[in-house]
Amino acid sequence: GSAAAVPAVTAVAEESATSTYNYGEALQKSMFFYEVQQSGKKPDWNEVSWRDDCMVNDYIPGGWFDAGDHLKFTLTNAYAATMLGWGLLEYQDGVKEIGELTEYKNNLAWALDYVASCDLGDEIVYMIGDGAFDHVWWGSAEVYMRKFKLMKGEDERPYYTCNDSCIEGQMAAALAVGYLCFKDSDPDRADNYLAHAKACFERADKNRSIGDDTEEHKYYKPSSFYDDLFFAANWLYRATGEQSYLDLCKTDYIPNLGKEEQSSEMKYTWGHCWDDTMQGGMLLYAMNTGDSQWKEQFRKHLEYWTTGYGGKQIAHTPDGLAWLFQWGSMRHATTTAFLAYVAADELFADDAAAATKYTDFADSTMNYAFGDNDLDMSYVIGMGDKYPQA
């Protein structure tokens, strides 16, 4: 657990002469955040002393709550788990070195087990909870159902099902990543993930449509699905080695990916997020194919986020944060930083200037989040002397 990890984290920080911030502590606090969001029966490894069992009779128990709400969305559970798993695949040695590997994998499996369970075989559960109730009642998850029963006269929260190529594509990506993360340490769990990943992908590719997931549209409204199919196919290729997934990318998905406004040029602006996985897919496709065309396509994205490309450049706040738009500005910047680290290591390892440029961008973005900003504020709750308070 994290209590045992602190000495290891401290040692790593002291050894690093170049780091102002304790990155091990940042990861530790991030894991704590995920444990705060847990729905269902509290596992014995959860470190949050003030959390307990809750919503144990959801149609599918478990998973993470969404944002500050107590709703559960399969889309955001899958997206977040994919990014967590990708981080582990790229940087497991670092996670292990600071003593966080077990906690990290526990949290990852918590979300992936839920995502796998939301695959019902012919359709998926895409949302659990009553939005109207959720947004008028403020209180702890542990007493939520008492109030729900008083107001609604029901013991179980509503759940909603559909088929949707966006959501099922992201489920497939998450579960393929999960297979890669657990195939050596927990092969039975990994095989279950891969079976669900293939099934979700097959349906998503067959239907190629945004589904009837209207209950979540007030919160998350998917806008395109080819990016999710592209992203998922690249992960399934990595999980299975089957060329057919890359063939689909070439023939069916890439021609339908986003374009720059009033242009035939493939989109390189914007950022990788729950609703647009094109850029992460492009990075993976460049890694999977080794084709310089796609490496250069992804370079455009990182150039846009740093010094500019094609007359377009990301905006910056007065104290230097790359700023995409008002919703989740830090989320977008730090996600792009992650892609930049991966690209520097995987695509541009033989291009010292590019690797340095993109690593510097990623370092400065993460350090901004940890306190290197005009407010001297850490945006990781519980890290440093000054961080956002309720």
Side-chain angles (χ1 to χ4, degrees):
S2 60
V6 172
V9 169
T10 309
V12 170
E14 286 170 356
E15 286 166 17
S16 174
T18 57
S19 171
T20 313
Y21 300 101
N22 187 334
Y23 297 147
E25 183 192 359
L27 182 61
Q28 189 183 14
K29 295 296 193 298
S30 296
M31 292 300 110
F32 192 85
F33 168 84
Y34 284 108
E35 289 167 32
V36 168
Q37 308 303 325
Q38 286 184 340
S39 177
K41 183 171 171 53
K42 181 183 174 183
D44 56 8
W45 49 265
N46 181 300
E47 306 253 341
V48 187
S49 60
W50 43 268
R51 285 301 319 276
D52 206 342
D53 298 354
C54 64
M55 281 77 149
V56 292
N57 63 340
D58 275 351
Y59 182 69
I60 297 173
W64 292 319
F65 294 127
D66 187 78
D69 307 327
H70 290 108
L71 304 175
K72 297 193 304 195
F73 298 99
T74 308
L75 175 66
T76 50
N77 271 264
Y79 171 77
T82 303
M83 300 310 292
L84 262 187
W86 193 356
L88 189 65
L89 290 174
E90 294 288 342
Y91 303 114
Q92 180 164 314
D93 289 349
V95 175
K96 190 173 183 179
E97 189 180 342
I98 60 169
E100 285 290 300
L101 184 59
T102 299
E103 188 172 16
Y104 198 116
K105 291 183 86 167
N106 282 341
N107 280 289
L108 179 58
W110 181 265
L112 291 172
D113 288 352
Y114 177 75
V115 170
S117 297
C118 286
D119 173 18
L120 304 182
D122 54 351
E123 60 180 2
I124 57 163
V125 172
Y126 71 84
M127 174 180 164
I128 294 179
D130 181 321
F133 170 82
D134 195 272
H135 281 216
V136 296
W137 184 80
W138 290 82
S140 71
E142 291 77 12
V143 299
Y144 189 103
M145 289 310 295
R146 294 183 213 167
K147 188 68 175 180
F148 187 84
K149 188 172 182 182
L150 279 171
M151 290 179 68
K152 311 287 286 189
E154 297 167 7
D155 287 306
E156 185 187 316
R157 300 199 294 169
Y159 68 92
Y160 305 93
T161 63
C162 73
N163 285 116
D164 183 292
S165 296
C166 311
I167 305 171
E168 286 168 288
Q170 293 218 25
M171 290 169 74
L175 293 164
V177 170
Y179 168 77
L180 291 166
C181 289
F182 288 97
K183 63 185 175 68
D184 296 327
S185 60
D186 194 343
D188 289 344
R189 172 177 258 135
D191 288 346
N192 181 51
Y193 290 164
L194 187 57
H196 283 291
K198 288 178 175 179
C200 286
F201 179 82
E202 194 174 321
R203 287 197 306 272
D205 180 58
K206 179 183 173 186
N207 292 329
R208 298 192 186 186
S209 64
I210 294 173
D212 184 21
D213 54 339
T214 50
E215 285 298 323
E216 75 175 330
H217 285 181
K218 286 174 279 189
Y219 317 99
Y220 299 98
K221 188 174 184 180
S223 59
S224 62
F225 56 83
Y226 279 110
D227 57 310
D228 303 304
L229 292 173
F230 180 53
F231 191 52
N234 275 284
W235 279 117
L236 276 158
Y237 170 75
R238 290 177 89 79
T240 67
E242 292 176 17
Q243 179 66 28
S244 59
Y245 291 112
L246 290 188
D247 292 344
L248 273 170
C249 291
K250 183 177 183 178
T251 59
D252 290 36
Y253 305 154
I254 288 176
N256 287 292
L257 292 176
K259 303 285 195 293
E260 286 297 309
E261 281 188 23
Q262 298 176 319
S263 165
S264 60
E265 188 169 17
M266 292 191 74
K267 194 169 182 69
Y268 60 86
T269 56
W270 205 244
H272 183 85
C273 61
W274 64 266
D275 187 40
D276 192 338
T277 53
M278 174 177 168
Q279 301 306 328
M282 192 57 68
L283 171 55
L284 286 168
Y285 192 64
M287 290 162 59
N288 286 340
T289 62
D291 188 326
S292 61
Q293 177 185 354
W294 307 113
K295 174 180 174 178
E296 293 310 308
Q297 179 61 38
F298 189 73
R299 190 200 295 264
K300 294 179 188 178
H301 181 59
L302 294 183
E303 289 294 300
Y304 168 74
W305 271 85
T306 52
T307 51
Y309 179 85
K312 301 175 184 179
Q313 184 181 10
I314 193 79
H316 290 85
T317 63
D319 59 353
L321 179 71
W323 189 90
L324 188 64
F325 79 144
Q326 70 269 30
W327 292 107
S329 52
M330 186 74 80
R331 163 177 64 98
H332 274 292
T334 55
T335 301
T336 308
F338 171 72
L339 298 185
Y341 281 128
V342 175
D345 292 339
E346 301 279 3
L347 286 189
F348 301 106
D350 59 349
D351 182 343
T356 300
K357 178 179 183 176
Y358 302 144
T359 300
D360 286 349
F361 158 74
D363 285 348
S364 66
T365 300
M366 298 312 300
N367 289 339
Y368 183 104
F370 300 144
D372 191 8
N373 53 67
D374 283 355
L375 295 176
D376 295 323
M377 177 180 282
S378 164
Y379 288 96
V380 179
I381 306 299
M383 182 176 172
D385 299 323
K386 183 182 178 185
Y387 49 83
Q389 304 277 346

